Amino acid sequence: MVTAAVLVVPTAQAAAGVLIDETFSAQTTPANFGFPAGAAVSGGVLNVTKGMGNYTTSVKAFDGAVVGERTLDLTFDWKTAVAAGGRKTGIELRDSQGNLVFALAGTATELRYGLTGPVSDSASAPDSLNPAWIRIAYNGAKWYTVNLHLDFTLQRVQYTIATKETAATVMASGTASIAGKNLAKLVACNYYGTGVQSLDNFRLTAPANAANGRLKGKTVYAFGDSIVAGHTYSRSFVNLTAERELMNLKKYAVNGAAIGPVGASGGQILTQVRNAASQSPDHVVFDGGTNDAELIHNNRYEVGTMAAGFDPATFDRSTYAGSLEITIHTMRAKWPAARIAHVTAHKLGSRDWNTQLAIRSVTLRICAKWGVTVADVFGDSTLDTRNDGQRVAYTFNGLANGYPGTGGTGTHPNIAGMNFYVPVLTAALTAP
């Protein structure tokens, strides 16, 4: 039986501090979430644009602690009651100068979102000050969940809009440049007609490991299996990280690849490294172990043990451990100036647990020996697809609506699942 998913943010984010976490289960302080008009907390949600006229607005100002943050993560649920043609309501996030950060709106037939548009003081919302809308057909009866990563150092926003359900459908996802320089206000807009909007589960956090522009322009080579490659989708967690930080990414990962010596449908990750460009990147990122866990469990080869020294002649390349050491040795020899990070897979419901633990143990020892930074998704995030709700919510097999779907085997993270990986990798790439 499928259990309900518990939607949680990565541990790395939660450690930094929650600035706002409002479920609207009771009246807020200040009242009605700080909206001076057209808003009311009722039935466990915040209703806005209630009784407001055409082209009118109501503005919630964020406090100085929020305005001063350079990097923020925001998630909220949204729904509109607009049901008739010609009517449109929405919300806008703007900075202290009126520049747009992000906007969302609904008509009877279209979900609209905006990333660019005119500067506005938010005193009103005439057509001339509307954001430049991107339009999607949608079901206006549903709730939608918005996830935003806001970087005001780089003036970038990474966004995902999805239906609010365990087997969610992604409506839009991407990364874009914005004019906004901080998060100063949330504007409820009654663009035209009537239609109450509802907000719920408004959570704003400051990430623990914000890069603050330090990775801009850096090059990264990425090696590994389908978790790095993206499976049947072109954007993996490495892409999401590079997009956020304006890094130059070259992916060599192949579906089905493994660290170990034999049997992987995608070959050895070592082969990817040997075939990669000789020009040194700033960073090397690689995973492995997921396909190895299956091959080892099926007795194709053994986990093995770490060699005593650094001489490649002593590595037992018939084992996972020896293959991992020669892979790292090859990276070090080919790109001595590059920083290397190994990404551990999340806790997998699709692989034998004891095999996962055995691979993890020797991997951590070998990475420590070679001075390889570990982006430890297994240990530092709560993504665990042994939980059936998490498997359904956070992994995919194929695409739906052009984006990774849900209900996967537990192996391949969809966009929501990738968001457990991204902060852990960012922390590894910016580690001293």
Side-chain angles (χ1 to χ4, degrees):
M1 179 178 178
V2 176
T3 58
V6 179
L7 302 184
V8 290
V9 295
T11 302
Q13 289 184 4
V18 177
L19 301 173
I20 299 174
D21 189 7
E22 184 56 70
T23 63
F24 305 109
S25 58
Q27 181 57 270
T28 60
T29 304
N32 302 322
F33 205 44
F35 284 101
V41 174
S42 177
V45 301
L46 173 69
N47 295 313
V48 295
T49 56
K50 183 178 178 63
M52 290 170 50
N54 294 338
Y55 313 119
T56 57
T57 61
S58 185
V59 180
K60 170 194 168 53
F62 292 106
D63 64 24
V66 172
V67 176
E69 289 287 346
R70 306 307 303 148
T71 309
L72 291 165
D73 289 297
L74 172 61
T75 182
F76 60 89
D77 299 329
W78 174 90
K79 184 180 184 297
T80 180
V82 167
R87 298 177 181 179
K88 181 177 65 181
T89 58
I91 57 172
E92 298 176 0
L93 295 167
R94 291 190 178 269
D95 74 0
S96 52
Q97 301 302 312
N99 295 299
L100 187 66
V101 175
F102 183 82
L104 182 72
T107 71
T109 59
E110 291 178 340
L111 179 69
R112 301 184 183 184
Y113 67 98
L115 303 155
T116 60
V119 175
S120 174
D121 64 6
S122 301
S124 62
D127 291 343
S128 61
L129 295 181
N130 269 212
W133 296 116
I134 300 167
R135 307 174 185 214
I136 313 165
Y138 83 130
N139 181 348
K142 287 191 173 186
W143 279 87
Y144 293 86
T145 297
V146 178
N147 280 281
L148 304 174
H149 177 79
L150 307 172
D151 187 326
F152 297 111
T153 300
L154 297 176
Q155 290 184 261
R156 304 275 280 173
V157 59
Q158 192 164 84
Y159 59 91
T160 301
I161 307 169
T163 57
K164 180 180 170 55
E165 48 200 351
T166 301
T169 298
V170 175
M171 305 299 292
S173 177
T175 308
S177 297
I178 56 173
K181 299 178 177 65
N182 56 39
L183 183 61
K185 52 191 174 183
L186 173 62
V187 186
C189 301
N190 192 55
Y191 297 108
Y192 192 80
T194 57
V196 174
Q197 303 170 79
S198 298
L199 292 169
D200 200 5
N201 301 314
F202 193 99
R203 182 177 173 87
L204 184 67
T205 61
N209 300 105
N212 292 323
R214 285 176 288 169
L215 297 172
K216 180 181 179 180
K218 301 292 186 182
T219 57
V220 55
Y221 292 172
F223 305 94
D225 54 34
S226 54
I227 294 178
V228 170
H231 190 39
T232 59
Y233 184 58
S234 60
R235 295 166 72 214
S236 72
F237 72 93
V238 183
N239 293 85
L240 266 62
T241 304
E243 289 173 11
R244 282 188 180 188
E245 306 301 337
L246 284 173
M247 302 179 77
N248 301 307
L249 169 65
K250 175 63 177 178
K251 266 197 318 190
Y252 294 91
V254 176
N255 286 4
I259 293 289
V262 294
S265 61
Q268 266 192 294
I269 293 170
L270 176 61
T271 303
Q272 300 171 21
V273 175
R274 287 173 172 164
N275 292 339
S278 58
Q279 182 176 356
S280 181
D282 297 293
H283 298 273
V284 171
V285 171
F286 76 108
D287 74 344
T290 297
N291 294 313
D292 295 282
E294 188 170 43
L295 292 162
I296 290 167
H297 185 64
N298 291 334
N299 298 315
R300 298 299 300 275
Y301 48 88
E302 296 180 351
V303 174
T305 58
M306 183 175 70
F310 295 89
D311 182 358
T314 66
F315 304 158
D316 185 353
R317 302 187 195 188
S318 68
T319 68
Y320 168 86
S323 297
L324 177 59
E325 293 213 66
I326 194 59
T327 301
I328 296 172
H329 175 273
T330 304
M331 291 175 177
R332 287 267 188 241
K334 190 166 186 174
W335 307 298
R339 297 186 61 179
I340 302 174
H342 175 73
V343 182
T344 64
H346 59 276
K347 299 177 182 72
L348 295 161
S350 57
R351 297 293 186 269
D352 176 72
W353 181 243
N354 289 331
T355 307
Q356 290 182 68
L357 294 177
I359 289 173
R360 173 176 172 78
S361 178
V362 73
T363 298
L364 294 180
R365 291 199 303 273
I366 289 172
C367 286
K369 170 185 172 180
W370 286 89
V372 170
T373 301
V374 177
D376 193 9
V377 177
F378 185 104
D380 293 340
S381 84
T382 55
L383 183 55
D384 184 348
T385 60
R386 296 175 300 165
N387 174 294
D388 203 52
Q390 290 205 26
R391 176 191 65 77
V392 172
Y394 297 127
T395 68
F396 79 108
N397 294 335
L399 303 184
N401 196 39
Y403 296 100
T406 52
T409 63
T411 300
H412 303 107
N414 57 21
I415 291 173
M418 292 177 204
N419 284 327
F420 289 87
Y421 278 71
V422 172
V424 180
L425 178 57
T426 301
L429 295 176
T430 56

